[in-house]
Amino acid sequence: MIVLQLVVNGVLLGGTYILLAQGLNLVFGVMGIVNLAHGSIITVAGLFTYWFVTHTDQSPLWLIPCVFVAMLAVGAVLQRLLLEPLAKLGTRRELLSLMVTFGLSYVIVETALNFFGSQYVSLPNLQETWSVGGLAINEALVAAGVLGALISGCLHVWLHYTPSGKALLATSQNATGAVTCGIDVRRMRGISFAIGSALAGIAGVLLILILPLSAPTADTLTILSFVIVALGGLGDYKGAVYAGLLLGLVQSGVGYYLGGDVEVVVPYLLLITFMVLRPQGLGQAAR
Amino acid sequence: MAAIACAGVVPLVTSAYILQLATDILTFAALAYSWNVISGCTGYLSFGQVSFFGIGAYATSALVLRAGLPWYVAAVIGSAIGGASAAVLGTIMLRLRGIMFALGMLGLARILMVVSSNWDFIGGAAGLILPARLTPVAVYFAMWVTVLVAFALNYFVLHSQWGLSVTGVRDDEVAAAAVGVPTSWVKIIAFILSALAPAAVGGLVAWNRSFLDPPSAFDPTLDLQVIVFALFGGIGTLWGPALGTVILVIVGEQFWAYLPDLQLALYGVLVIAVVLAFPGGIVGIANKFGWLRRKPVAAPATFPIVTRPAQPAAAGNDAVIEVRGLTVRFGGLVALNSVSLAVKRGEMVSIIGANGAGKTTLFNAITGFVKPSEGGVYYQGKLVSAIPSHQRARQGIARTFQIPRLMESMTVWENTLLAARNGKRATAAVDQAAWALHTVKLDSLWLELPNKLSPGQQRRLEMARALALDPTVVLLDEVMAGMTRDEQGEIRAVLRHFRDLGVAAVAGVEHIISAIADISDRMIVLDRGKKIAEGAPDAVLRDPIVIESYLGKVS
């Protein structure tokens, strides 16, 4: 029974993890860079959600569309100002864009610390537990897991069935080829970062429902997202779904059997072991 | 000398505040210089060098507390333990590249933090109280020693012939291996060099604070600060880390008093601003005015003309390179299908074939950059399939690349010297490099960077690099592609007297058949991974199967 319970929890956690990773994945696919500020956007969105709910007493779910639109704009501006200037730098671009997003993550986290403080907070909403056939199912976990998976599904539909989404997917698969098809790759870079940030924002709103967050969790979330993306294959959207579910399951199991201390370092251990064992098996990363 | 005199005077004449400030500068300079070795010079961006700071801090503390060693002995041993742990961790971490390595190091620091929190022998999560053993003046002088060691290591990496291997790894790891650089070793050594000073600094800082716990030992913000300082001064330069640290620590000291909570956020802003406005840092700006420029490694004042009498390669009829039943698969794609061929001593063999015929894969398999799925590669009669690329290069299998892979930050001279080293003594390597450059007639351009060369000159530099290895066989991958008639003529002239240069055999992959038909002894034709023809050029080019492969079937 415990195993089944852990599996259900793991799958629901995995649903949120998928969303956590897809934003990072999108940015990597199109721009070829890893956004080290990804986790800090998630964290700040989560902390803002906590602040909003405790001050207005509204349901956190109302925030999802607002955060999406706001982060879309913020992401577009950040990309234009900070990352687009590096796009033409050739071989040094990877290193420099890592530096820029590394710096950006500190700016966001430290500013958030000054606003929200450093204590861990979590939302008291949606704390009911349903009992289904002997399993205890947490309402928040269901909301976050199902919404996370649903929004990832929307992303999938957008990427595969709409002209703008297809253009983005094409750019992600082969930027040079996309240019020859008349796609404005520069615009695609902007769109990918805007949507990547918006997805990170929503992930934060959902995450605060199920996990306590504080400003310093940002790094862990960046790594967590990166591990999911890397396990699934950088730039591979379907792979990230499986990897997100896998990581949800692993963490729920490790957390139960080995304790919270180990659970925290699971993403790091996975990152190092998996990448050492299969350095070439990671698609584009192994070039 | 003046600097050293000043350094000695600081603790005698000034306040405790200035002494602390000076110690801070030295601390960060030592860390910035160490980060510079692995991330600046070797190109492996690390967000977790604080791991070695923490390992050193714990090692030193344990040695003093539990073993009762004097602090200076403990600091030296702590530094050695830092280096040893880098050797062990490096074998794992350095298999990761780019972002994987950067985040892997960040993760390593986190893992070490969790481990140290749960290890009671070193104080666990509560930390260790360290009794006061060091005076601030002692810490100050110990930091000076550490900084000077870290600076000397940077000087060694940036200005020695061995250091060229490090720069080579940063610029192009594959090309470095192709000219005989043992890249895995070079990276691990650079990693060890970048761990020594942080480990010593960790021990000193812990004793200076009289307290050590996991969050202060493995503090990730320390890496942010170190990166800001090195970036601001100029990454991968000799003076950058010092300049960046001195300026930013002194300016910061004035500034943070007013904005204590925003220090790290402003460092973040600074990183972004420097990357966008002047990615080369202060040294990059100074270079534009001709100051602080790095001098090419081991370059004499004028180009040393070295001429050698012709040394014809030994005659014989044995196969220098032979592949037997070579098959290479990439997933479902069969790039080479059971190909057997030999290049004999004294021969110039051309391998031709349409795009996708498997020509470059063949060369990659011979030089060890692609692992054969089946079959073996033999060099002078010995199976070399299990030998790593750099050793094959050192044993005499030289190659050029289809698209020139030159070290972009190294001069023409240094590019050649890197290949010429190949286990030689320094002066012999200089002679060898000069001879190779003179042979391909690049003497007048010896101090230029590769991106200033024309495509034809770049290919000649690739040939000089191959010759500098003292090769027995040279594999030329489309060396004529994209060249003008005149340039092709120059290459052909060099190729014609390759044998007099001691090269026993040449194999060339080529598309421009007219340029090689008359200088080849034999031609081999590949088509979709299979050998379809072989023989004298005239006969091969008239072979209907070959014509069909190139032009399609004529009905």
Side-chain angles (χ1 to χ4, degrees):
Chain A
M1 208 61 201
I2 285 173
V3 174
L4 193 61
Q5 176 77 57
L6 289 174
V7 167
V8 170
N9 286 358
V11 168
L12 289 172
L13 191 61
T16 324
Y17 281 0
I18 295 169
L19 183 62
L20 213 62
Q22 291 300 23
L24 192 75
N25 211 358
L26 203 63
V27 171
F28 182 85
V30 176
M31 299 176 61
I33 65 168
V34 173
N35 175 17
L36 294 179
H38 187 72
S40 49
I41 297 175
I42 298 174
T43 308
V44 169
L47 295 176
F48 174 76
T49 307
Y50 174 81
W51 178 89
F52 176 82
V53 172
T54 46
H55 280 76
T56 62
D57 223 14
Q58 299 290 318
S59 164
L61 301 181
W62 292 119
L63 269 182
I64 290 178
C66 312
V67 166
F68 186 84
V69 173
M71 287 314 298
L72 216 50
V74 171
V77 171
L78 285 177
Q79 196 275 342
R80 184 72 199 81
L81 292 181
L82 305 185
L83 293 166
E84 194 56 35
L86 299 176
K88 53 187 176 298
L89 276 179
T91 52
R92 299 183 64 202
R93 195 201 52 182
E94 189 189 1
L95 186 104
L96 293 178
S97 60
L98 278 178
M99 295 270 191
V100 165
T101 55
F102 181 65
L104 181 63
S105 74
Y106 268 94
V107 176
I108 298 175
V109 168
E110 294 299 316
T111 316
L113 266 177
N114 282 301
F115 271 107
F116 300 112
S118 63
Q119 71 282 16
Y120 278 81
V121 296
S122 60
L123 273 183
N125 302 48
L126 304 175
Q127 285 311 317
E128 258 177 70
T129 304
W130 306 321
S131 182
V132 180
L135 294 173
I137 296 180
N138 179 271
E139 192 186 7
L141 211 52
V142 171
V146 170
L147 279 173
L150 208 64
I151 295 164
S152 304
C154 294
L155 177 73
H156 177 84
V157 169
W158 177 66
L159 282 176
H160 288 91
Y161 300 101
T162 66
S164 59
K166 280 183 188 166
L168 196 92
L169 196 61
T171 314
S172 151
Q173 284 167 0
N174 187 336
T176 319
V179 173
T180 59
C181 296
I183 294 170
D184 183 351
V185 170
R186 215 181 110 152
R187 197 162 142 254
M188 288 302 140
R189 286 198 290 261
I191 291 177
S192 74
F193 200 84
I195 293 184
S197 307
L199 292 176
I202 305 179
V205 178
L206 294 181
L207 212 57
I208 193 87
L209 293 172
I210 54 172
L211 289 178
L213 293 180
S214 96
T217 27
D219 276 356
T220 315
L221 291 176
T222 303
I223 301 277
L224 185 67
S225 316
F226 180 76
V227 169
I228 297 167
V229 172
L231 286 180
L234 287 168
D236 182 342
Y237 303 102
K238 218 178 263 170
V241 173
Y242 302 127
L245 288 174
L246 177 73
L247 208 72
L249 288 168
V250 169
Q251 260 196 323
S252 122
V254 168
Y256 180 80
Y257 290 109
L258 300 175
D261 241 7
V262 184
E263 190 184 349
V264 176
V265 291
V266 161
Y268 301 105
L269 284 173
L270 272 178
L271 176 80
I272 295 172
T273 42
F274 186 81
M275 270 155 232
V276 167
L277 293 178
R278 288 206 54 197
Q280 77 288 1
L282 296 170
Q284 304 174 41
R287 264 179 308 185
Chain B
M1 283 317 284
I4 294 169
C6 290
V9 169
V10 165
L12 303 178
V13 298
T14 54
S15 64
Y17 170 76
I18 297 288
L19 184 64
Q20 184 59 45
L21 182 65
T23 307
D24 281 352
I25 292 176
L26 295 172
T27 306
F28 279 112
L31 294 175
Y33 269 120
S34 302
W35 182 85
N36 198 39
V37 171
I38 189 67
S39 299
C41 304
T42 322
Y44 276 67
L45 179 60
S46 169
F47 292 136
Q49 286 307 98
V50 73
S51 302
F52 300 112
F53 176 94
I55 288 173
Y58 273 113
T60 311
S61 304
L63 286 168
V64 178
L65 281 182
R66 313 266 175 195
L69 292 177
W71 66 268
Y72 43 89
V73 177
V76 171
I77 298 179
S79 172
I81 291 176
S85 53
V88 176
L89 292 168
T91 56
I92 302 168
M93 302 306 295
L94 289 164
R95 294 192 201 179
L96 311 178
R97 286 190 188 173
I99 176 70
M100 308 283 183
F101 177 78
L103 291 182
M105 285 304 295
L106 187 73
L108 181 66
R110 289 300 166 85
I111 292 169
L112 290 173
M113 199 196 291
V114 171
V115 170
S116 58
S117 304
N118 290 291
W119 192 3
D120 289 332
F121 179 73
I122 53 171
L128 289 170
I129 307 285
L130 307 170
R133 293 264 170 91
L134 272 83
T135 63
V137 176
V139 174
Y140 169 81
F141 281 114
M143 283 297 182
W144 254 114
V145 174
T146 318
V147 169
L148 290 176
V149 169
F151 178 83
L153 292 176
N154 272 258
Y155 187 87
F156 173 64
V157 167
L158 290 166
H159 290 272
S160 70
Q161 284 201 15
W162 182 81
L164 288 176
S165 312
V166 177
T167 318
V169 166
R170 177 184 67 189
D171 284 359
D172 191 331
E173 231 173 296
V174 169
V179 295
V181 175
T183 49
S184 305
W185 272 114
V186 167
K187 288 191 289 187
I188 287 180
I189 292 171
F191 201 48
I192 294 171
L193 297 185
S194 75
L196 295 174
V201 168
L204 294 171
V205 168
W207 282 94
N208 198 20
R209 285 185 193 144
S210 308
F211 180 67
L212 180 64
D213 68 345
S216 66
F218 299 105
D219 177 10
T221 63
L222 204 58
D223 273 311
L224 170 75
Q225 298 183 52
V226 166
I227 291 172
V228 176
F229 297 157
L231 183 68
F232 187 76
I235 291 177
T237 65
L238 184 59
W239 294 104
L243 284 170
T245 308
V246 170
I247 294 173
L248 288 184
V249 172
I250 291 176
V251 172
E253 195 66 26
Q254 313 300 315
F255 211 59
W256 307 138
Y258 302 104
L259 294 165
D261 294 337
L262 285 176
Q263 183 176 353
L264 291 170
L266 288 173
Y267 274 140
V269 172
L270 199 60
V271 170
I272 298 172
V274 172
V275 169
L276 292 179
F278 52 112
I282 297 174
V283 172
I285 295 175
N287 282 348
K288 284 183 188 153
F289 296 97
W291 301 327
L292 295 177
R293 278 205 188 141
R294 190 178 66 90
K295 287 201 190 76
V297 173
T302 55
F303 186 85
I305 302 282
V306 177
T307 47
R308 290 183 185 168
Q311 305 167 308
N317 199 30
D318 56 320
V320 178
I321 287 283
E322 188 178 359
V323 302
R324 292 184 203 153
L326 191 71
T327 299
V328 177
R329 290 190 203 93
F330 298 114
L333 178 84
V334 183
L336 282 178
N337 191 353
S338 192
V339 170
S340 296
L341 55 84
V343 180
K344 296 207 178 92
R345 197 169 289 279
E347 257 193 331
M348 157 103 202
V349 174
S350 294
I351 297 156
I352 63 170
N355 282 326
K359 304 178 302 270
T360 297
T361 305
L362 175 69
F363 275 12
N364 282 342
I366 293 175
T367 49
F369 290 102
V370 163
K371 220 176 152 188
S373 313
E374 282 158 37
V377 177
Y378 298 81
Y379 171 59
Q380 298 190 327
K382 283 197 212 96
L383 183 70
V384 292
S385 299
I387 296 178
S389 326
H390 74 269
Q391 276 181 18
R392 296 192 207 185
R394 289 188 161 211
Q395 289 175 10
I397 308 178
R399 72 171 294 176
T400 67
F401 290 95
Q402 196 172 355
I403 298 161
R405 299 184 78 150
L406 301 163
M407 310 304 179
E408 57 178 15
S409 70
M410 287 157 67
T411 56
V412 168
W413 170 252
E414 290 164 313
N415 264 283
T416 318
L417 184 60
L418 173 62
R421 287 187 66 240
N422 193 10
K424 283 192 194 62
R425 290 173 46 183
T427 47
V430 167
D431 271 10
Q432 177 78 4
W435 168 78
L437 279 178
H438 183 66
T439 304
V440 300
K441 300 196 177 65
L442 279 175
D443 346 12
S444 60
L445 296 167
W446 70 308
L447 294 181
E448 295 294 339
L449 288 173
N451 62 10
K452 295 269 156 57
L453 304 184
S454 73
Q457 290 164 342
Q458 290 185 0
R459 285 186 195 279
R460 261 151 62 198
L461 178 52
E462 282 243 325
M463 286 179 70
R465 233 169 36 168
L467 281 178
L469 275 168
D470 243 343
T472 307
V473 57
V474 178
L475 309 173
L476 300 167
D477 197 349
E478 295 203 19
V479 77
M480 314 260 191
M483 281 191 172
T484 62
R485 246 326 128 85
D486 290 348
E487 286 173 331
Q488 283 177 17
E490 284 172 26
I491 295 288
R492 284 156 52 86
V494 177
L495 285 180
R496 272 178 211 279
H497 70 265
F498 247 38
R499 259 162 256 167
D500 296 334
L501 306 175
V503 179
V506 179
V509 154
E510 204 52 73
H511 267 310
I512 306 169
I513 292 164
S514 63
I516 43 146
D518 62 326
I519 56 172
S520 305
D521 299 311
R522 211 146 53 85
M523 250 183 198
I524 293 170
V525 188
L526 293 182
D527 183 36
R528 278 166 285 178
K530 282 191 170 162
K531 185 170 84 175
I532 56 166
E534 176 172 15
D538 291 351
V540 166
L541 292 174
R542 271 190 230 108
D543 188 332
I545 300 172
V546 175
I547 296 170
E548 188 191 313
S549 154
Y550 265 83
L551 300 176
K553 203 174 181 109
V554 183
S555 54

